[in-house]
Amino acid sequence: GNPTVTTNDYSGALTVTLSCETIVYRDIDTTTPFDVTALTGTNVAADTFTPTGVTTVTDNAWAISVVQTSDDNALALLAGSEQGFTARISGANYDWTTGFDGAHGEADKAIASAGAVTFPTWDETAVGTDSWAFISDALRPAGAAAYTSPTTKALTGVGV
């Protein structure tokens, strides 16, 4: 499962659970790593959700879709609505049930030519229907180099 850190507020009345996944993207511009201004938001409870897309300004950028739900939903890209994205973080391995339940999902797509990007539709494959939060972003490549596939690593045994 995911590493979690559970903390209480000063009154002890609220419990907050944090989870962390790491994805390493290579060949990203270190001076201006983001190709767009990130879009963030929430959505009402629904079995599926399509985050707002972005418009990249640089060829060979990586469009990034990050989602979270308020229950352990085993998130996945909805079959037939992937829009060319590849899920890097999805499924029950990225759910947690300590403290408040939750689930993470992350997918990306290499964008050869700058322009509008339609984001994928995500699906709650278990326990749905729950609310969503999202970040839609894009990473700028270093020069005109061809993009390389990212590496994912779930952190385990991390605590504060």
Side-chain angles (χ1 to χ4, degrees):
N2 291 332
T4 59
V5 179
T6 302
T7 59
N8 290 322
D9 71 356
Y10 296 116
S11 67
L14 176 65
T15 300
V16 178
T17 302
L18 304 173
S19 180
C20 176
E21 285 75 38
T22 301
I23 299 176
V24 176
Y25 289 86
R26 301 187 193 303
D27 302 321
I28 300 301
D29 186 322
T30 57
T31 302
T32 309
F34 297 102
D35 198 53
V36 301
T37 299
L39 303 175
T40 63
T42 58
N43 195 56
V44 297
D47 286 333
T48 62
F49 173 61
T50 305
T52 305
V54 298
T55 300
T56 60
V57 296
T58 307
D59 291 347
N60 296 325
W62 279 98
I64 310 291
S65 177
V66 180
V67 294
Q68 181 174 327
T69 58
S70 59
D71 205 349
D72 51 325
N73 297 117
L75 302 178
L77 295 178
L78 182 65
S81 298
E82 300 92 342
Q83 304 296 340
F85 278 71
T86 300
R88 305 291 176 185
I89 292 176
S90 65
N93 286 340
Y94 296 98
D95 291 352
W96 68 91
T97 56
T98 302
F100 291 111
D101 290 357
H104 281 203
E106 194 275 353
D108 57 44
K109 177 181 179 181
I111 308 300
S113 297
V117 181
T118 301
F119 271 48
T121 298
W122 288 90
D123 186 20
E124 296 176 359
T125 66
V127 191
T129 301
D130 294 294
S131 59
W132 296 81
F134 75 93
I135 302 170
S136 297
D137 210 342
L139 298 174
R140 182 171 291 169
Y147 31 75
T148 56
S149 183
T151 302
T152 59
K153 173 68 176 162
L155 301 178
T156 56
V158 177
V160 174

